[in-house]
Amino acid sequence: QSVLTQPPSVSAAPGQKVTISCSGSSSNIGNNYVSWYHHVPGTAPKLLIYDNDERPSGIPDRFSGSKSGTSATLGITGLQTGDEADYYCGTWDSSLSAVVFGGGTKLTVL
Amino acid sequence: QVQLVESGGGVVQPGRSLRLSCAASGFTFSRHGMHWVRQGPGKGLEWVAGIWYDESNIYYGDSVKGRFTISRDNSGKMLYLQMNSLRTEDTAVYSCARETSLHCTTTFCSDIHFDYWGQGILVTVSS
């Protein structure tokens, strides 16, 4: 059972928009910054969003992040088949003194 | 360019030990916290351990606390994970990851995130 809760899967058609939620508590998301990662098994994970809503250079603006209270959301617009992957949220948990990840969300582009 | 290359994985029997290494290049290693993250078969990402740039703070996940030890050699640009008393549930692909954080106190960073990852190395614990 992950400390952060994500939906196991989401799906949408090419060109559409999808959002992935990440729910936590005051000891993690509520008082720390959230990051998001794109991961295709067998390859290195890639940082998509850091500090709740910042994109590293090279990440297209189709990807966005937001945070409200103890929840965070990753948004992806203009879906492409290449976006199919597992997506993870992560943050620091001040009570556990540990980095925590969500359980991951598998994105299917139909 | 930033590169992180893991080595030292393999097949080991339960109860035995293994040491993973991560060779870093393309950045000032001594300025970044470093971490180990693993992914077991059919599972999600699990954070294992992290070490500050100056070794002043070291943290472990509950599942490895007391069995694993993270360390680093800044002059050699190397990160290590000593894994003792291995269990079958430790079977996973282990990746090293570079941390970049700006919002830090003396004991933790509230904006911790991993901007570069290695490809990972497989560790199989089996009799």
Side-chain angles (χ1 to χ4, degrees):
Chain A
Q1 193 78 355
S2 301
V3 173
L4 305 180
T5 301
Q6 297 180 234
S9 63
V10 296
S11 62
Q16 296 300 302
K17 173 182 177 178
V18 71
T19 60
I20 298 173
S21 61
C22 176
S23 177
S25 67
S26 59
S27 67
N28 42 67
I29 292 178
N31 284 285
N32 295 298
Y33 293 87
V34 177
S35 54
W36 289 90
Y37 304 88
H38 164 284
H39 185 218
V40 176
T43 69
K46 179 170 65 177
L47 176 67
L48 287 177
I49 298 289
Y50 67 98
D51 288 4
N52 302 331
D53 57 9
E54 297 291 330
R55 279 178 289 107
S57 71
I59 300 300
D61 59 7
R62 299 189 299 110
F63 296 88
S64 64
S66 64
K67 187 183 104 167
S68 178
T70 58
S71 293
T73 301
L74 173 70
I76 311 173
T77 60
L79 278 172
Q80 303 171 2
T81 55
D83 293 331
E84 287 200 333
D86 298 320
Y87 292 82
Y88 294 87
C89 57
T91 188
W92 177 257
D93 190 297
S94 302
S95 295
L96 299 174
S97 290
V99 173
V100 291
F101 288 107
T105 299
K106 182 176 182 60
L107 169 63
T108 301
V109 181
L110 302 168
Chain B
Q1 71 281 21
V2 173
Q3 280 197 315
L4 298 170
V5 180
E6 301 91 346
S7 61
V11 181
V12 61
Q13 293 179 327
R16 303 299 289 265
S17 300
L18 203 62
R19 188 197 200 201
L20 301 183
S21 301
C22 171
S25 61
F27 66 100
T28 305
F29 183 72
S30 59
R31 292 185 182 176
H32 289 266
M34 296 296 296
H35 297 254
W36 289 98
V37 179
R38 70 185 182 184
Q39 183 174 34
K43 298 183 179 179
L45 299 179
E46 180 188 9
W47 176 78
V48 174
I51 184 169
W52 274 32
Y53 69 99
D54 61 356
E55 302 181 72
S56 60
N57 286 292
I58 293 176
Y59 303 100
Y60 296 96
D62 283 345
S63 61
V64 307
K65 207 170 289 184
R67 300 187 299 123
F68 290 12
T69 301
I70 187 172
S71 62
R72 64 188 297 159
D73 172 6
N74 282 348
S75 60
K77 300 182 180 181
M78 295 293 295
L79 176 72
Y80 302 102
L81 185 68
Q82 177 66 44
M83 304 184 293
N84 298 331
S85 302
L86 281 161
R87 305 167 180 167
T88 54
E89 55 264 36
D90 294 319
T91 294
V93 172
Y94 287 73
S95 299
C96 59
R98 186 183 89 164
E99 171 196 334
T100 295
S101 304
L102 295 177
H103 303 283
C104 300
T105 67
T106 55
T107 57
F108 77 98
C109 297
S110 63
D111 65 334
I112 190 168
H113 57 277
F114 307 132
D115 55 356
Y116 288 95
W117 299 64
Q119 287 289 335
I121 191 91
L122 178 61
V123 172
T124 302
V125 184
S126 173
S127 53

